[in-house]
Protein backbone atom coordinates (compact mmCIF):
# COMPACT_ATOMS: atom_id res chain seq x y z
CA UNK A 1 0.00 0.00 0.00
CA UNK A 2 1.89 3.12 1.18
CA UNK A 3 1.44 5.21 -2.00
CA UNK A 4 2.36 8.32 -0.02
CA UNK A 5 6.14 8.83 -0.19
CA UNK A 6 8.09 8.54 3.05
CA UNK A 7 9.29 12.16 2.85
CA UNK A 8 5.64 13.29 2.64
CA UNK A 9 4.42 11.28 5.65
CA UNK A 10 4.25 14.45 7.79
CA UNK A 11 1.87 16.01 5.21
CA UNK A 12 -0.73 13.26 5.59
CA UNK A 13 -4.17 13.84 7.08
CA UNK A 14 -5.66 10.83 8.88
CA UNK A 15 -9.45 10.63 9.36
CA UNK A 16 -11.22 7.85 11.24
CA UNK A 17 -14.93 7.67 10.44
CA UNK A 18 -18.05 5.57 10.11
CA UNK A 19 -20.51 6.41 7.33
CA UNK A 20 -23.23 4.25 8.91
CA UNK A 21 -24.51 3.01 5.57
CA UNK A 22 -24.87 -0.50 6.96
CA UNK A 23 -25.87 -1.45 10.53
CA UNK A 24 -22.82 -2.08 12.73
CA UNK A 25 -20.48 -0.75 10.05
CA UNK A 26 -16.91 -0.66 11.38
CA UNK A 27 -14.75 2.41 11.56
CA UNK A 28 -12.60 3.08 8.51
CA UNK A 29 -9.34 4.99 8.49
CA UNK A 30 -8.76 7.27 5.50
CA UNK A 31 -5.34 8.81 4.98
CA UNK A 32 -5.07 11.65 2.49
CA UNK A 33 -1.70 12.88 1.25
CA UNK A 34 -0.08 15.14 -1.31
CA UNK A 35 -0.69 14.66 -5.02
CA UNK A 36 -4.28 13.39 -4.56
CA UNK A 37 -2.99 10.25 -2.82
CA UNK A 38 -5.19 8.29 -0.41
CA UNK A 39 -5.05 5.08 1.59
CA UNK A 40 -7.81 3.15 3.35
CA UNK A 41 -6.14 1.12 6.07
CA UNK A 42 -8.87 -1.46 6.69
CA UNK A 43 -9.38 -2.20 2.98
CA UNK A 44 -5.63 -2.30 2.21
CA UNK A 45 -6.31 -0.01 -0.75
CA UNK A 46 -4.40 3.01 -1.98
CA UNK A 47 -4.57 5.18 -5.05
CA UNK A 48 -5.57 8.65 -6.16
CA UNK A 49 -8.62 10.86 -5.79
CA UNK A 50 -10.36 12.30 -8.83
CA UNK A 51 -13.45 14.45 -9.08
CA UNK A 52 -16.31 13.96 -11.53
CA UNK A 53 -16.27 16.86 -13.99
CA UNK A 54 -19.89 16.54 -15.12
CA UNK A 55 -23.21 14.74 -14.61
CA UNK A 56 -22.78 12.30 -17.51
CA UNK A 57 -22.97 9.30 -15.12
CA UNK A 58 -25.72 10.70 -12.86
CA UNK A 59 -27.36 9.61 -10.68
CA UNK A 60 -24.57 7.18 -9.69
CA UNK A 61 -21.77 9.70 -10.10
CA UNK A 62 -22.63 13.39 -10.15
CA UNK A 63 -20.50 16.45 -10.87
CA UNK A 64 -18.17 17.21 -7.97
CA UNK A 65 -18.29 13.77 -6.38
CA UNK A 66 -14.92 12.50 -5.20
CA UNK A 67 -13.84 9.09 -6.49
CA UNK A 68 -11.22 7.05 -4.70
CA UNK A 69 -9.48 5.15 -7.50
CA UNK A 70 -7.50 1.99 -6.73
CA UNK A 71 -4.57 2.42 -9.10
CA UNK A 72 -3.31 -1.13 -8.61
CA UNK A 73 -6.20 -2.47 -10.76
CA UNK A 74 -5.03 -2.21 -14.39
CA UNK A 75 -7.40 -4.72 -16.02
CA UNK A 76 -11.09 -5.64 -15.95
CA UNK A 77 -12.00 -6.80 -12.43
CA UNK A 78 -15.77 -7.25 -12.60
CA UNK A 79 -18.61 -4.96 -13.64
CA UNK A 80 -17.89 -1.59 -12.07
CA UNK A 81 -16.63 1.95 -12.64
CA UNK A 82 -13.07 2.46 -13.92
CA UNK A 83 -10.88 5.39 -14.92
CA UNK A 84 -9.28 5.29 -18.37
CA UNK A 85 -6.65 7.24 -20.28
CA UNK A 86 -8.02 8.49 -23.59
CA UNK A 87 -4.72 9.71 -24.99
CA UNK A 88 -1.91 12.14 -24.26
CA UNK A 89 -3.22 15.56 -23.32
CA UNK A 90 -6.85 14.40 -23.22
CA UNK A 91 -9.03 14.29 -20.11
CA UNK A 92 -9.40 11.06 -18.18
CA UNK A 93 -12.58 9.09 -18.75
CA UNK A 94 -14.72 7.61 -15.96
CA UNK A 95 -16.85 4.79 -17.31
CA UNK A 96 -18.84 1.79 -16.17
CA UNK A 97 -17.80 -1.49 -17.78
CA UNK A 98 -20.30 -4.35 -17.93
CA UNK A 99 -19.49 -7.70 -19.54
CA UNK A 100 -22.27 -8.90 -21.85
CA UNK A 101 -23.31 -12.54 -22.28
CA UNK A 102 -21.59 -12.76 -25.68
CA UNK A 103 -18.23 -11.64 -24.19
CA UNK A 104 -18.43 -8.07 -25.48
CA UNK A 105 -18.66 -5.11 -23.09
CA UNK A 106 -20.92 -2.14 -22.56
CA UNK A 107 -18.80 0.98 -21.97
CA UNK A 108 -20.82 3.79 -20.38
CA UNK A 109 -19.11 7.13 -19.86
CA UNK A 110 -22.39 8.94 -20.54
CA UNK A 111 -25.67 7.30 -19.47
CA UNK A 112 -27.41 8.77 -22.52
CA UNK A 113 -24.97 7.05 -24.90
CA UNK A 114 -23.67 3.63 -23.75
CA UNK A 115 -21.34 1.97 -26.27
CA UNK A 116 -20.94 -1.71 -27.04
CA UNK A 117 -17.29 -2.66 -27.55
CA UNK A 118 -16.05 -6.09 -28.68
CA UNK A 119 -13.06 -6.26 -26.31
CA UNK A 120 -10.84 -4.19 -24.01
CA UNK A 121 -7.67 -4.06 -26.10
CA UNK A 122 -7.97 -0.33 -26.90
CA UNK A 123 -8.56 0.74 -23.29
CA UNK A 124 -5.79 2.02 -21.02
CA UNK A 125 -6.87 1.26 -17.44
CA UNK A 126 -5.70 3.79 -14.85
CA UNK A 127 -7.60 2.13 -12.00
CA UNK A 128 -10.89 0.91 -10.60
CA UNK A 129 -13.20 3.16 -8.58
CA UNK A 130 -13.07 1.79 -5.05
CA UNK A 131 -15.45 4.29 -3.48
CA UNK A 132 -17.62 7.22 -4.54
CA UNK A 133 -17.88 9.97 -1.95
CA UNK A 134 -20.67 12.53 -1.96
CA UNK A 135 -19.59 16.09 -2.71
CA UNK A 136 -20.71 18.44 0.05
CA UNK A 137 -20.23 22.10 -0.83
CA UNK A 138 -18.44 24.26 1.76
CA UNK A 139 -20.98 26.55 3.40
CA UNK A 140 -18.58 28.65 5.51
CA UNK A 141 -17.77 28.66 9.19
CA UNK A 142 -20.33 29.38 11.90
CA UNK A 143 -18.19 32.22 13.27
CA UNK A 144 -14.74 33.75 12.90
CA UNK A 145 -13.34 31.63 15.77
CA UNK A 146 -14.24 28.32 14.11
CA UNK A 147 -11.31 27.22 11.95
CA UNK A 148 -10.46 23.81 10.53
CA UNK A 149 -7.88 21.75 12.40
CA UNK A 150 -6.43 20.28 9.21
CA UNK A 151 -5.07 22.04 6.15
CA UNK A 152 -6.95 20.16 3.42
CA UNK A 153 -6.87 21.18 -0.22
CA UNK A 154 -9.28 19.89 -2.85
CA UNK A 155 -7.91 19.14 -6.29
CA UNK A 156 -9.76 19.42 -9.56
CA UNK A 157 -10.07 16.40 -11.82
CA UNK A 158 -7.17 16.61 -14.28
Amino acid sequence: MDLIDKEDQDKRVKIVTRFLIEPNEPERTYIYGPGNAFEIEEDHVSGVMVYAADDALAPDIEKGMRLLVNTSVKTYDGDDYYVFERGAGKPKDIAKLVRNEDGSFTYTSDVSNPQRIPDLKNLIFLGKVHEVQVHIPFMGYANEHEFPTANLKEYAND
Side-chain angles (χ1 to χ4, degrees):
M1 195 162 72
D2 228 9
L3 187 70
I4 300 170
D5 293 331
K6 295 296 181 202
E7 59 270 12
D8 289 331
Q9 293 294 318
D10 62 328
K11 298 176 187 170
R12 301 180 328 158
V13 175
K14 188 173 190 174
I15 300 170
V16 179
T17 186
R18 282 191 303 162
F19 286 107
L20 299 175
I21 295 170
E22 305 279 334
N24 303 315
E25 183 177 342
E27 287 184 345
R28 291 169 42 116
T29 306
Y30 294 84
I31 301 170
Y32 299 103
N36 293 359
F38 80 90
E39 297 172 11
I40 304 174
E41 287 183 348
E42 293 78 4
D43 294 351
H44 305 288
V45 169
S46 64
V48 295
M49 298 177 285
V50 297
Y51 292 82
D54 56 38
D55 286 325
L57 293 170
D60 291 347
I61 298 175
E62 297 174 348
K63 181 178 182 176
M65 287 183 160
R66 180 168 55 191
L67 310 174
L68 303 183
V69 179
N70 180 349
T71 54
S72 69
V73 178
K74 300 292 187 187
T75 60
Y76 176 78
D77 184 37
D79 296 352
D80 214 335
Y81 288 97
Y82 295 84
V83 178
F84 300 96
E85 179 71 52
R86 295 192 318 188
K90 292 186 179 180
K92 310 300 183 257
D93 203 11
I94 302 165
K96 185 170 189 174
L97 269 184
V98 176
R99 185 186 302 261
N100 301 314
E101 288 184 18
D102 65 359
S104 66
F105 292 86
T106 300
Y107 180 95
T108 306
S109 60
D110 182 339
V111 294
S112 67
N113 187 25
Q115 300 172 16
R116 191 176 190 102
I117 56 175
D119 53 50
L120 305 176
K121 66 182 176 185
N122 292 324
L123 297 179
I124 301 170
F125 285 79
L126 297 179
K128 181 178 181 180
V129 174
H130 180 74
E131 185 173 302
V132 177
Q133 297 181 334
V134 176
H135 177 69
I136 301 172
F138 178 69
M139 302 299 287
Y141 298 112
N143 62 58
E144 65 186 43
H145 303 292
E146 185 180 345
F147 293 102
T149 57
N151 183 16
L152 296 175
K153 180 178 179 184
E154 287 195 357
Y155 294 88
N157 184 13
D158 295 344

